[in-house]
Amino acid sequence: EVQLLESGGDLVQPGGSLRLSCAASGFTFNNYAMSWVRQAPGKGLEWVSAISGGGDSTYYADSVKGRFTISRDNSKNTLYLQMNSLRAEDTAVYYCAQGQITMPHWGQGTLVTVSS
Amino acid sequence: DIQMTQSPSSLSASVGDRVTITCRASQSISSYLNWYQQKPGKAPKLLIYAASSLQSGVPSRFSGSGSGTDFTLTISSLQPEDFATYYCQQSYSTPPHFGPGTKVDIK
């Protein structure tokens, strides 16, 4: 059974940094691209970033480009999202998902709140 | 970027009703279209991929159709567990934008 477990969400001040993690199990992690998708309170889904299975290709939404960095450690079956220069509009539940575009499996999400 | 729109934004229906949700892409995406279901406080769930292929484990009352720019999600007989928000997503190119969602609630 595929399992994705996010962690690292927290309350952070504007301009601050945070690193999210997503621990994967139940599938051969390095065979799959992975993504982060976020959902602001009461709003729809917004694709944030994706990374290839080997980690050599990365993709970002314009809204986070230059501030967020996606990475993975295939030896630890873990996906990361380093978030810098956080803004109030980054407040959301962040989901990790298996896949780069079509996402058949999702984690339960971790809440990031950016507020002073 | 390819933008997605959905209609209606919300609808009220009764158990047993046939429900249809429409999604439109800003340019042709062939059949590269997914549908997700999301219940409050839960992660999205993939229902349909490639416009009309049912994801494993999804009930057959869900179906998808369309190609090019216009797509439809149909629930043939609405069940209590189907009250949720539905999102389309283009899978043609990165960024794989989602539609704004359609909330289906109880009449």
Side-chain angles (χ1 to χ4, degrees):
Chain A
E1 179 193 3
V2 173
Q3 291 195 3
L4 299 168
L5 184 62
E6 302 94 336
S7 60
D10 205 348
L11 171 63
V12 61
Q13 292 189 343
S17 297
L18 206 58
R19 189 177 83 157
L20 306 182
S21 300
C22 172
S25 62
F27 64 103
T28 304
F29 186 64
N30 61 9
N31 283 354
Y32 289 85
M34 297 291 294
S35 297
W36 289 97
V37 177
R38 68 184 181 184
Q39 187 169 37
K43 302 297 184 182
L45 301 170
E46 180 188 14
W47 176 85
V48 173
S49 183
I51 187 168
S52 61
D56 50 320
S57 297
T58 58
Y59 311 87
Y60 298 94
D62 286 345
S63 57
V64 306
K65 200 172 293 182
R67 299 188 299 123
F68 290 11
T69 302
I70 191 171
S71 62
R72 63 193 296 161
D73 185 336
N74 286 344
S75 69
K76 297 181 178 179
N77 287 355
T78 302
L79 175 72
Y80 301 101
L81 186 66
Q82 177 68 43
M83 303 185 294
N84 298 331
S85 302
L86 283 161
R87 307 166 180 168
E89 54 265 36
D90 295 318
T91 294
V93 173
Y94 285 73
Y95 296 100
C96 73
Q98 185 193 56
Q100 178 176 328
I101 293 182
T102 297
M103 302 166 212
H105 300 285
W106 297 61
Q108 86 293 342
T110 188
L111 177 62
V112 173
T113 303
V114 184
S115 174
S116 54
Chain B
D1 294 6
I2 299 172
Q3 304 300 323
M4 309 301 294
T5 58
Q6 287 181 236
S7 61
S9 56
S10 66
L11 65 90
S12 295
S14 300
V15 172
D17 284 353
R18 181 181 182 89
V19 169
T20 299
I21 298 169
T22 297
C23 174
R24 177 166 289 176
S26 60
Q27 66 184 71
S28 177
I29 56 171
S30 185
S31 295
Y32 292 94
L33 191 283
N34 302 324
W35 289 98
Y36 296 84
Q37 175 195 65
Q38 188 181 32
K39 297 180 181 179
K42 300 295 186 181
K45 172 186 175 182
L46 178 65
L47 296 178
I48 289 172
Y49 62 95
S52 60
S53 295
L54 205 62
Q55 176 69 357
S56 175
V58 174
S60 59
R61 62 181 179 273
F62 291 93
S63 64
S65 65
S67 66
T69 60
D70 295 319
F71 302 86
T72 299
L73 173 70
T74 299
I75 309 171
S76 61
S77 178
L78 197 66
Q79 298 302 301
E81 60 268 30
D82 300 337
F83 291 97
T85 300
Y86 295 84
Y87 295 93
C88 64
Q89 179 213 21
Q90 66 87 5
S91 55
Y92 183 83
S93 64
T94 299
H97 285 310
F98 294 86
T102 296
K103 184 177 181 180
V104 177
D105 61 22
I106 302 171
K107 181 184 286 185

PDB file of all heavy atoms in Angstrom, chain B residues 60-85:
ATOM      1  N   SER B  60     -18.197   2.475 -10.843  1.00  0.00           N
ATOM      2  CA  SER B  60     -18.507   2.656 -12.262  1.00  0.00           C
ATOM      3  C   SER B  60     -19.582   3.704 -12.515  1.00  0.00           C
ATOM      4  O   SER B  60     -19.846   4.050 -13.670  1.00  0.00           O
ATOM      5  CB  SER B  60     -18.937   1.322 -12.880  1.00  0.00           C
ATOM      6  OG  SER B  60     -20.068   0.813 -12.201  1.00  0.00           O
ATOM      7  N   ARG B  61     -20.214   4.230 -11.473  1.00  0.00           N
ATOM      8  CA  ARG B  61     -21.190   5.305 -11.684  1.00  0.00           C
ATOM      9  C   ARG B  61     -20.485   6.615 -12.099  1.00  0.00           C
ATOM     10  O   ARG B  61     -21.130   7.535 -12.588  1.00  0.00           O
ATOM     11  CB  ARG B  61     -22.033   5.551 -10.436  1.00  0.00           C
ATOM     12  CG  ARG B  61     -21.273   6.002  -9.216  1.00  0.00           C
ATOM     13  CD  ARG B  61     -22.223   6.187  -8.025  1.00  0.00           C
ATOM     14  NE  ARG B  61     -21.529   6.602  -6.812  1.00  0.00           N
ATOM     15  CZ  ARG B  61     -20.983   5.762  -5.954  1.00  0.00           C
ATOM     16  NH1 ARG B  61     -21.063   4.447  -6.170  1.00  0.00           N
ATOM     17  NH2 ARG B  61     -20.353   6.214  -4.870  1.00  0.00           N
ATOM     18  N   PHE B  62     -19.165   6.662 -11.912  1.00  0.00           N
ATOM     19  CA  PHE B  62     -18.391   7.804 -12.374  1.00  0.00           C
ATOM     20  C   PHE B  62     -17.911   7.548 -13.802  1.00  0.00           C
ATOM     21  O   PHE B  62     -17.410   6.457 -14.109  1.00  0.00           O
ATOM     22  CB  PHE B  62     -17.167   8.046 -11.483  1.00  0.00           C
ATOM     23  CG  PHE B  62     -17.500   8.537 -10.107  1.00  0.00           C
ATOM     24  CD1 PHE B  62     -17.651   7.647  -9.057  1.00  0.00           C
ATOM     25  CD2 PHE B  62     -17.666   9.891  -9.858  1.00  0.00           C
ATOM     26  CE1 PHE B  62     -17.969   8.091  -7.782  1.00  0.00           C
ATOM     27  CE2 PHE B  62     -17.976  10.354  -8.585  1.00  0.00           C
ATOM     28  CZ  PHE B  62     -18.134   9.456  -7.552  1.00  0.00           C
ATOM     29  N   SER B  63     -18.051   8.541 -14.659  1.00  0.00           N
ATOM     30  CA  SER B  63     -17.531   8.421 -16.010  1.00  0.00           C
ATOM     31  C   SER B  63     -17.074   9.782 -16.504  1.00  0.00           C
ATOM     32  O   SER B  63     -17.558  10.825 -16.041  1.00  0.00           O
ATOM     33  CB  SER B  63     -18.566   7.827 -16.962  1.00  0.00           C
ATOM     34  OG  SER B  63     -19.683   8.688 -17.086  1.00  0.00           O
ATOM     35  N   GLY B  64     -16.136   9.750 -17.434  1.00  0.00           N
ATOM     36  CA  GLY B  64     -15.623  10.972 -18.009  1.00  0.00           C
ATOM     37  C   GLY B  64     -15.636  10.893 -19.516  1.00  0.00           C
ATOM     38  O   GLY B  64     -15.542   9.805 -20.098  1.00  0.00           O
ATOM     39  N   SER B  65     -15.771  12.052 -20.141  1.00  0.00           N
ATOM     40  CA  SER B  65     -15.757  12.097 -21.594  1.00  0.00           C
ATOM     41  C   SER B  65     -15.185  13.422 -22.056  1.00  0.00           C
ATOM     42  O   SER B  65     -15.016  14.359 -21.263  1.00  0.00           O
ATOM     43  CB  SER B  65     -17.166  11.896 -22.152  1.00  0.00           C
ATOM     44  OG  SER B  65     -18.012  12.963 -21.770  1.00  0.00           O
ATOM     45  N   GLY B  66     -14.918  13.477 -23.363  1.00  0.00           N
ATOM     46  CA  GLY B  66     -14.443  14.722 -23.954  1.00  0.00           C
ATOM     47  C   GLY B  66     -13.043  14.606 -24.511  1.00  0.00           C
ATOM     48  O   GLY B  66     -12.305  13.661 -24.209  1.00  0.00           O
ATOM     49  N   SER B  67     -12.699  15.588 -25.314  1.00  0.00           N
ATOM     50  CA  SER B  67     -11.347  15.709 -25.847  1.00  0.00           C
ATOM     51  C   SER B  67     -11.189  17.116 -26.414  1.00  0.00           C
ATOM     52  O   SER B  67     -12.195  17.807 -26.656  1.00  0.00           O
ATOM     53  CB  SER B  67     -11.051  14.659 -26.911  1.00  0.00           C
ATOM     54  OG  SER B  67     -11.853  14.874 -28.042  1.00  0.00           O
ATOM     55  N   GLY B  68      -9.954  17.506 -26.622  1.00  0.00           N
ATOM     56  CA  GLY B  68      -9.724  18.854 -27.132  1.00  0.00           C
ATOM     57  C   GLY B  68      -9.781  19.867 -26.017  1.00  0.00           C
ATOM     58  O   GLY B  68      -8.856  19.959 -25.197  1.00  0.00           O
ATOM     59  N   THR B  69     -10.847  20.629 -25.941  1.00  0.00           N
ATOM     60  CA  THR B  69     -10.973  21.643 -24.895  1.00  0.00           C
ATOM     61  C   THR B  69     -12.150  21.430 -23.951  1.00  0.00           C
ATOM     62  O   THR B  69     -12.199  22.072 -22.898  1.00  0.00           O
ATOM     63  CB  THR B  69     -11.122  23.051 -25.508  1.00  0.00           C
ATOM     64  OG1 THR B  69     -12.300  23.075 -26.320  1.00  0.00           O
ATOM     65  CG2 THR B  69      -9.905  23.421 -26.351  1.00  0.00           C
ATOM     66  N   ASP B  70     -13.071  20.560 -24.299  1.00  0.00           N
ATOM     67  CA  ASP B  70     -14.299  20.409 -23.503  1.00  0.00           C
ATOM     68  C   ASP B  70     -14.447  18.998 -22.959  1.00  0.00           C
ATOM     69  O   ASP B  70     -14.387  18.022 -23.729  1.00  0.00           O
ATOM     70  CB  ASP B  70     -15.519  20.783 -24.342  1.00  0.00           C
ATOM     71  CG  ASP B  70     -15.512  22.248 -24.723  1.00  0.00           C
ATOM     72  OD1 ASP B  70     -15.164  23.083 -23.864  1.00  0.00           O
ATOM     73  OD2 ASP B  70     -15.855  22.562 -25.871  1.00  0.00           O
ATOM     74  N   PHE B  71     -14.689  18.925 -21.653  1.00  0.00           N
ATOM     75  CA  PHE B  71     -14.729  17.651 -20.959  1.00  0.00           C
ATOM     76  C   PHE B  71     -15.901  17.622 -19.974  1.00  0.00           C
ATOM     77  O   PHE B  71     -16.366  18.666 -19.514  1.00  0.00           O
ATOM     78  CB  PHE B  71     -13.419  17.423 -20.195  1.00  0.00           C
ATOM     79  CG  PHE B  71     -12.214  17.450 -21.075  1.00  0.00           C
ATOM     80  CD1 PHE B  71     -11.578  18.649 -21.379  1.00  0.00           C
ATOM     81  CD2 PHE B  71     -11.713  16.284 -21.629  1.00  0.00           C
ATOM     82  CE1 PHE B  71     -10.473  18.688 -22.201  1.00  0.00           C
ATOM     83  CE2 PHE B  71     -10.602  16.309 -22.452  1.00  0.00           C
ATOM     84  CZ  PHE B  71      -9.991  17.508 -22.758  1.00  0.00           C
ATOM     85  N   THR B  72     -16.320  16.391 -19.650  1.00  0.00           N
ATOM     86  CA  THR B  72     -17.460  16.209 -18.756  1.00  0.00           C
ATOM     87  C   THR B  72     -17.181  15.077 -17.789  1.00  0.00           C
ATOM     88  O   THR B  72     -16.667  14.027 -18.180  1.00  0.00           O
ATOM     89  CB  THR B  72     -18.726  15.891 -19.562  1.00  0.00           C
ATOM     90  OG1 THR B  72     -19.029  16.978 -20.437  1.00  0.00           O
ATOM     91  CG2 THR B  72     -19.911  15.662 -18.639  1.00  0.00           C
ATOM     92  N   LEU B  73     -17.546  15.322 -16.530  1.00  0.00           N
ATOM     93  CA  LEU B  73     -17.590  14.268 -15.515  1.00  0.00           C
ATOM     94  C   LEU B  73     -19.055  14.008 -15.217  1.00  0.00           C
ATOM     95  O   LEU B  73     -19.812  14.955 -14.935  1.00  0.00           O
ATOM     96  CB  LEU B  73     -16.872  14.698 -14.240  1.00  0.00           C
ATOM     97  CG  LEU B  73     -17.000  13.738 -13.041  1.00  0.00           C
ATOM     98  CD1 LEU B  73     -16.231  12.447 -13.292  1.00  0.00           C
ATOM     99  CD2 LEU B  73     -16.507  14.422 -11.759  1.00  0.00           C
ATOM    100  N   THR B  74     -19.457  12.757 -15.274  1.00  0.00           N
ATOM    101  CA  THR B  74     -20.834  12.380 -14.996  1.00  0.00           C
ATOM    102  C   THR B  74     -20.884  11.373 -13.847  1.00  0.00           C
ATOM    103  O   THR B  74     -20.101  10.427 -13.816  1.00  0.00           O
ATOM    104  CB  THR B  74     -21.501  11.775 -16.241  1.00  0.00           C
ATOM    105  OG1 THR B  74     -21.501  12.746 -17.295  1.00  0.00           O
ATOM    106  CG2 THR B  74     -22.945  11.374 -15.951  1.00  0.00           C
ATOM    107  N   ILE B  75     -21.800  11.629 -12.923  1.00  0.00           N
ATOM    108  CA  ILE B  75     -22.116  10.657 -11.891  1.00  0.00           C
ATOM    109  C   ILE B  75     -23.523  10.161 -12.213  1.00  0.00           C
ATOM    110  O   ILE B  75     -24.476  10.954 -12.187  1.00  0.00           O
ATOM    111  CB  ILE B  75     -22.059  11.272 -10.475  1.00  0.00           C
ATOM    112  CG1 ILE B  75     -20.740  12.023 -10.262  1.00  0.00           C
ATOM    113  CG2 ILE B  75     -22.236  10.185  -9.412  1.00  0.00           C
ATOM    114  CD1 ILE B  75     -20.676  12.836  -8.981  1.00  0.00           C
ATOM    115  N   SER B  76     -23.650   8.894 -12.534  1.00  0.00           N
ATOM    116  CA  SER B  76     -24.916   8.399 -13.097  1.00  0.00           C
ATOM    117  C   SER B  76     -26.040   8.354 -12.063  1.00  0.00           C
ATOM    118  O   SER B  76     -27.194   8.602 -12.393  1.00  0.00           O
ATOM    119  CB  SER B  76     -24.718   7.014 -13.712  1.00  0.00           C
ATOM    120  OG  SER B  76     -24.286   6.101 -12.715  1.00  0.00           O
ATOM    121  N   SER B  77     -25.700   8.050 -10.827  1.00  0.00           N
ATOM    122  CA  SER B  77     -26.703   7.988  -9.767  1.00  0.00           C
ATOM    123  C   SER B  77     -26.009   8.390  -8.467  1.00  0.00           C
ATOM    124  O   SER B  77     -25.300   7.592  -7.852  1.00  0.00           O
ATOM    125  CB  SER B  77     -27.300   6.579  -9.646  1.00  0.00           C
ATOM    126  OG  SER B  77     -28.234   6.513  -8.594  1.00  0.00           O
ATOM    127  N   LEU B  78     -26.225   9.627  -8.074  1.00  0.00           N
ATOM    128  CA  LEU B  78     -25.491  10.205  -6.951  1.00  0.00           C
ATOM    129  C   LEU B  78     -25.751   9.439  -5.659  1.00  0.00           C
ATOM    130  O   LEU B  78     -26.910   9.148  -5.315  1.00  0.00           O
ATOM    131  CB  LEU B  78     -25.900  11.672  -6.796  1.00  0.00           C
ATOM    132  CG  LEU B  78     -24.995  12.579  -5.973  1.00  0.00           C
ATOM    133  CD1 LEU B  78     -23.647  12.768  -6.657  1.00  0.00           C
ATOM    134  CD2 LEU B  78     -25.673  13.925  -5.753  1.00  0.00           C
ATOM    135  N   GLN B  79     -24.669   9.113  -4.980  1.00  0.00           N
ATOM    136  CA  GLN B  79     -24.748   8.405  -3.696  1.00  0.00           C
ATOM    137  C   GLN B  79     -24.348   9.346  -2.559  1.00  0.00           C
ATOM    138  O   GLN B  79     -23.666  10.347  -2.782  1.00  0.00           O
ATOM    139  CB  GLN B  79     -23.844   7.183  -3.718  1.00  0.00           C
ATOM    140  CG  GLN B  79     -24.244   6.161  -4.765  1.00  0.00           C
ATOM    141  CD  GLN B  79     -25.670   5.667  -4.575  1.00  0.00           C
ATOM    142  OE1 GLN B  79     -26.012   5.116  -3.526  1.00  0.00           O
ATOM    143  NE2 GLN B  79     -26.527   5.892  -5.576  1.00  0.00           N
ATOM    144  N   PRO B  80     -24.740   9.026  -1.325  1.00  0.00           N
ATOM    145  CA  PRO B  80     -24.423   9.929  -0.200  1.00  0.00           C
ATOM    146  C   PRO B  80     -22.941  10.235  -0.072  1.00  0.00           C
ATOM    147  O   PRO B  80     -22.571  11.348   0.293  1.00  0.00           O
ATOM    148  CB  PRO B  80     -24.949   9.148   1.010  1.00  0.00           C
ATOM    149  CG  PRO B  80     -26.030   8.278   0.474  1.00  0.00           C
ATOM    150  CD  PRO B  80     -25.595   7.898  -0.913  1.00  0.00           C
ATOM    151  N   GLU B  81     -22.092   9.264  -0.390  1.00  0.00           N
ATOM    152  CA  GLU B  81     -20.651   9.467  -0.257  1.00  0.00           C
ATOM    153  C   GLU B  81     -20.053  10.299  -1.383  1.00  0.00           C
ATOM    154  O   GLU B  81     -18.855  10.595  -1.360  1.00  0.00           O
ATOM    155  CB  GLU B  81     -19.930   8.117  -0.167  1.00  0.00           C
ATOM    156  CG  GLU B  81     -20.124   7.204  -1.357  1.00  0.00           C
ATOM    157  CD  GLU B  81     -21.299   6.252  -1.200  1.00  0.00           C
ATOM    158  OE1 GLU B  81     -22.289   6.602  -0.518  1.00  0.00           O
ATOM    159  OE2 GLU B  81     -21.227   5.137  -1.776  1.00  0.00           O
ATOM    160  N   ASP B  82     -20.861  10.680  -2.353  1.00  0.00           N
ATOM    161  CA  ASP B  82     -20.367  11.458  -3.492  1.00  0.00           C
ATOM    162  C   ASP B  82     -20.438  12.962  -3.260  1.00  0.00           C
ATOM    163  O   ASP B  82     -19.953  13.734  -4.110  1.00  0.00           O
ATOM    164  CB  ASP B  82     -21.154  11.112  -4.758  1.00  0.00           C
ATOM    165  CG  ASP B  82     -21.057   9.651  -5.134  1.00  0.00           C
ATOM    166  OD1 ASP B  82     -20.077   8.999  -4.711  1.00  0.00           O
ATOM    167  OD2 ASP B  82     -21.957   9.168  -5.833  1.00  0.00           O
ATOM    168  N   PHE B  83     -21.035  13.374  -2.168  1.00  0.00           N
ATOM    169  CA  PHE B  83     -21.100  14.810  -1.890  1.00  0.00           C
ATOM    170  C   PHE B  83     -19.697  15.287  -1.519  1.00  0.00           C
ATOM    171  O   PHE B  83     -19.123  14.869  -0.520  1.00  0.00           O
ATOM    172  CB  PHE B  83     -22.130  15.101  -0.808  1.00  0.00           C
ATOM    173  CG  PHE B  83     -23.530  14.843  -1.286  1.00  0.00           C
ATOM    174  CD1 PHE B  83     -24.165  13.635  -1.011  1.00  0.00           C
ATOM    175  CD2 PHE B  83     -24.198  15.782  -2.050  1.00  0.00           C
ATOM    176  CE1 PHE B  83     -25.442  13.380  -1.477  1.00  0.00           C
ATOM    177  CE2 PHE B  83     -25.481  15.537  -2.526  1.00  0.00           C
ATOM    178  CZ  PHE B  83     -26.104  14.332  -2.242  1.00  0.00           C
ATOM    179  N   ALA B  84     -19.158  16.137  -2.375  1.00  0.00           N
ATOM    180  CA  ALA B  84     -17.738  16.500  -2.308  1.00  0.00           C
ATOM    181  C   ALA B  84     -17.478  17.611  -3.315  1.00  0.00           C
ATOM    182  O   ALA B  84     -18.399  18.085  -3.980  1.00  0.00           O
ATOM    183  CB  ALA B  84     -16.880  15.283  -2.658  1.00  0.00           C
ATOM    184  N   THR B  85     -16.228  18.024  -3.400  1.00  0.00           N
ATOM    185  CA  THR B  85     -15.800  18.979  -4.429  1.00  0.00           C
ATOM    186  C   THR B  85     -15.005  18.226  -5.481  1.00  0.00           C
ATOM    187  O   THR B  85     -14.166  17.380  -5.144  1.00  0.00           O
ATOM    188  CB  THR B  85     -14.977  20.114  -3.825  1.00  0.00           C
ATOM    189  OG1 THR B  85     -15.781  20.814  -2.861  1.00  0.00           O
ATOM    190  CG2 THR B  85     -14.529  21.099  -4.900  1.00  0.00           C
TER     191      THR B  85
END
